[in-house]
DNA sequence: TCTATTGGTTGGAGCGCTCTAATGCTGTAG
DNA sequence: CTACAGCATTAGAGCGCTCCAACCAATAGA
């Protein structure tokens, strides 16, 4: 259980510790002969550099910390893919930590991540208060994904939720729907823009918005539908705040003997892998998730390399993915 | 961007660095007066200890590394929840890293994790070769989840796949099914035990096993069903290798005009959140995922604290979760 | 021939912390 | 009044590494 140190490698290769250090960092100013000797010794000993000692000594870090608010949501997995790709390309390591959607746990996760003194932090849809983020931002560069911020030292990557909601409404209207309700995401991140986009798009079409309060879950979507049915206010189309909500809505509709999309059309939001399942086949709004990750990592690395001090505010364009849960009112099936 | 050090706190509190160190570690041998003075100074400066320097100096670590082979799979998220819970309880931090189901990326992830010299490592369903795991196990304690190993320094946590498959078959037989096919997980981890359990259970009931080669995905499940239909070999019940496969199977059955469970019953495996969605409502085999995580963390911490050197081989009991995709042959709906 | 210059190499200080052994300081016993 | 605990406190070495300045050929320029 004892790992060899640089000293051991140096001894075995018959060189100084400093030379080993240079080889490990791929310095060009090492003769080929010594380089191979050192690499051979390292290989034989099974040596690999101690990242912490390195970062302590160099007062720099090649680690990017990522806080994922909810590991259960596959949305974030794809963002992480994008981050990973760019980070690896540029020689950075990624460590992940999760906040479990609880501000307290998230705060602890943040602390933990900070204690590694990473080069920078990417927070995926964090729920901690803005002040906590601001405080952390005094210590290192921070990029926020799927959450906005006014702090000038913080970069943000978001999708244009208003536009996404508009795409959905336009699609439904073009199918001939007039009564379209929005199952609202309440306090959830990005729920605001989506709601605003929905309302604006409805009004632009001269239609009456119908916002039903709900949440980002399966069960909440079902509940909202049941309340609509009870109050006899069921429209011909539903725009859910996200895919889970939409799937819950669909199952409540089916339980009530209604057919989707024949009786009611449903549109989700996020294009999670769930939506793509043939069995679900949900019409939804896609966000370029991996692109979120790539842009986040790039923005962060620019700050890390001090190439930029101005904040960046990316607003990516979502797109409509038409599957089998939307049709003209009273249409197929 | 400059964080205060212990020295700064010591200076401000008018004590030595060593004393600050003691306070930070909650040592009992510090007078109340000095303790409060130090804490006050630390608070004022916004000081928090540098985890890396600490671990370097103490030659110990309070970090547990977790390698998740596939972040997209919510199965692992719940295991991580269990790990997190136990680790936090015992004052350990968790850092996560992902291998994206590719041996090369996973290897890199492993390297990266090792470079932090964590106290131990938990690998969730890794796909790296056993030799790589054995090598890492020489350096620190390792626990494997959802993958077995013969290395005596490695602990393993698995579900009893044979028993799970048996539960599923027993359930289907008790409903009256005689022709039950298994959509096999091929090379996937745990596919072997599930297949063996299925075959053994079928034979125990005096029935003829029918193993159809497939994979752990939605699309593969659908493909397998189509091939069964084409070759006119469709049974009255299907035991899929996992939930995704089962959902794919269901959608292919429905596309073919068959009703689930009226015409064909389908059982999944894993009880992912997908299966619980009301819209899917899949009968499946549940694995105690959070329990996997808890046991993994506990096993690891026992090794870390050198309380045990004998390997532990946990084999957890899966359980049957009956939902709406199984019924007697030609039964309801 | 002597001094610059260059490219490879090295010793040693120091990153922020922990840990051991030693120190000072009471208070009590001899 | 000395001796000796017992306790709180501290100096200093050292964890594994990087980085700087110094060093040492070997070559180039004068």
């Amino acid at each position: 259980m004892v790992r060899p140190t640089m000293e051991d490698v140096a001894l075995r290769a018959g060189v100084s510790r400093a030379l080993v250090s240079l080889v490990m960092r791929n310095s060009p100013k090492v003769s080929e002969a010594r380089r191979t000797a050192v690499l051979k010794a390292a290989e034989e000993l099974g040596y690999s550099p101690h990242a912490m000692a390195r970062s302590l000594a160099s007062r720099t870090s090649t680690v990017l910390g990522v806080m994922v608010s909810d590991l259960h949501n596959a949305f974030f997995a794809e963002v992480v893919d994008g981050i990973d790709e760019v980070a690896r390309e540029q020689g950075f390591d990624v460590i992940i930590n999760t906040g479990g959607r609880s501000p307290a746990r998230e705060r602890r996760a943040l602390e933990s991540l900070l204690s590694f003194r990473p080069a920078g932090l990417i927070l995926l849809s964090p729920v901690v208060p803005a002040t906590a983020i601001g405080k952390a931002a005094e210590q290192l560069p921070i990029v926020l994904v799927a959450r906005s911020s006014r702090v000038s030292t913080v970069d943000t990557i978001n999708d244009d939720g208003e536009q996404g909601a508009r795409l959905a409404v336009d699609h439904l209207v073009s199918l001939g729907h007039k009564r379209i309700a929005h199952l609202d995401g309440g306090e959830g991140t990005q729920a605001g823009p989506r709601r605003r986009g929905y309302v604006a798009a409805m009004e632009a079409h001269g239609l009456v918005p119908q916002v039903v309060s709900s949440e980002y879950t399966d069960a909440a979507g079902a509940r909202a539908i049941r309340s609509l049915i009870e109050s006899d206010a069921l429209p011909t189309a539903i725009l859910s705040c996200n895919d889970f909500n939409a799937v819950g809505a669909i199952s409540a509709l089916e339980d009530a003997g209604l057919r989707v999309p024949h009786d009611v059309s449903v549109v989700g939001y996020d294009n999670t892998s769930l939506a793509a399942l043939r069995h679900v086949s949900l019409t939804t709004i896609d966000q370029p998730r991996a692109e979120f990750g790539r842009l986040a990592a790039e923005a962060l690395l620019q700050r890390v390399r001090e190439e930029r001090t101005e904040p960046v505010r990316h607003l990516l364009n979502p797109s409509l993915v038409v599957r089998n849960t939307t049709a003209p009112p009273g249409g197929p099936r």
Side-chain angles (χ1 to χ4, degrees), chain A residues 114-130:
Chain A
L114 283 174
S115 78
F116 286 97
R117 305 290 194 274
L121 235 45
I122 299 178
L123 309 183
L124 305 188
S125 194
V127 298
V128 285

Side-chain angles (χ1 to χ4, degrees), chain A residues 63-66 83 92 119-122 140-143 155 157 294-306 308:
Chain A
V63 172
L64 301 187
V66 176
I83 294 173
F92 281 76
L121 235 45
I122 299 178
L140 37 46
I142 292 195
V143 175
D155 299 327
I157 322 278
R294 281 191 289 271
L295 286 173
E298 270 156 17
L300 191 62
L301 290 173
Q302 285 168 7
R303 291 259 195 192
V304 168
R305 290 189 296 250
E306 299 186 326
R308 175 171 56 75

Side-chain angles (χ1 to χ4, degrees), chain A residues 26 36 47 98 106 162 216 229 245 296 301 320:
Chain A
N26 292 314
T36 54
Y47 170 82
T98 173
E106 218 171 79
E162 298 199 28
Y216 280 163
I229 292 174
N245 183 285
L301 290 173
L320 176 72

Side-chain angles (χ1 to χ4, degrees), chain A residues 173-185:
Chain A
V173 168
S174 77
L175 287 172
H177 290 276
K178 305 235 175 289
R179 293 176 50 217
I180 306 170
H182 175 50
L183 306 196
D184 179 48

Side-chain angles (χ1 to χ4, degrees), chain A residues 95-269:
Chain A
I95 64 175
I96 305 167
N97 208 149
T98 173
R101 281 238 155 275
S102 125
R105 266 185 72 185
E106 218 171 79
R107 196 162 214 132
R108 218 196 107 109
L110 208 62
E111 276 304 320
S112 164
L113 239 26
L114 283 174
S115 78
F116 286 97
R117 305 290 194 274
L121 235 45
I122 299 178
L123 309 183
L124 305 188
S125 194
V127 298
V128 285
T131 54
I133 296 174
K135 234 169 123 184
E138 289 169 17
Q139 299 181 9
L140 37 46
I142 292 195
V143 175
L144 257 37
V145 175
R147 157 140 181 193
S148 44
S149 165
R150 270 154 269 94
V151 183
S152 71
T153 52
V154 170
D155 299 327
T156 58
I157 322 278
N158 284 288
D159 92 311
D160 187 342
E162 298 199 28
Q163 191 193 335
R166 206 178 314 131
L167 285 174
V169 171
D170 288 353
H171 167 62
L172 291 168
V173 168
S174 77
L175 287 172
H177 290 276
K178 305 235 175 289
R179 293 176 50 217
I180 306 170
H182 175 50
L183 306 196
D184 179 48
E187 297 302 306
T189 18
Q190 300 309 109
R194 291 175 193 177
R195 178 176 49 246
R196 281 196 299 278
Y198 159 80
V199 171
M202 288 296 279
E203 287 170 350
H205 285 292
L207 300 173
V208 184
Q210 178 186 8
V211 175
V212 182
S213 111
S214 188
E215 280 172 62
Y216 280 163
T217 64
D218 170 41
R223 232 179 293 127
I225 291 297
R226 282 195 296 269
S227 81
L228 279 173
I229 292 174
E230 274 170 28
S231 57
D232 222 8
L234 195 68
T236 64
I238 299 282
L239 168 57
S240 274
C241 51
N242 76 349
D243 288 350
F244 291 109
N245 183 285
V247 172
I250 291 172
S251 79
L253 288 166
E254 289 179 344
D255 286 353
L258 296 161
R259 284 165 304 161
V260 175
H262 182 273
D263 300 315
V264 181
S265 285
V266 176
V267 180
Y269 204 114

Side-chain angles (χ1 to χ4, degrees), chain A residues 252-333:
Chain A
L253 288 166
E254 289 179 344
D255 286 353
L258 296 161
R259 284 165 304 161
V260 175
H262 182 273
D263 300 315
V264 181
S265 285
V266 176
V267 180
Y269 204 114
D270 283 347
N271 193 23
T272 53
S273 58
L274 174 65
L277 285 175
R278 343 167 11 106
H279 182 57
V280 176
S281 197
L282 180 69
T283 294
T284 187
I285 302 295
D286 181 69
Q287 303 187 43
R289 282 157 290 194
E291 185 67 12
F292 277 19
R294 281 191 289 271
L295 286 173
E298 270 156 17
L300 191 62
L301 290 173
Q302 285 168 7
R303 291 259 195 192
V304 168
R305 290 189 296 250
E306 299 186 326
E307 295 169 2
R308 175 171 56 75
T309 56
E310 291 306 298
V312 151
R313 299 274 121 98
H314 284 294
L315 210 58
L316 302 193
N317 291 331
S319 56
L320 176 72
V321 179
V322 179
R323 294 205 182 88
N324 301 320
T325 56
T326 48
R333 230 194 164 198

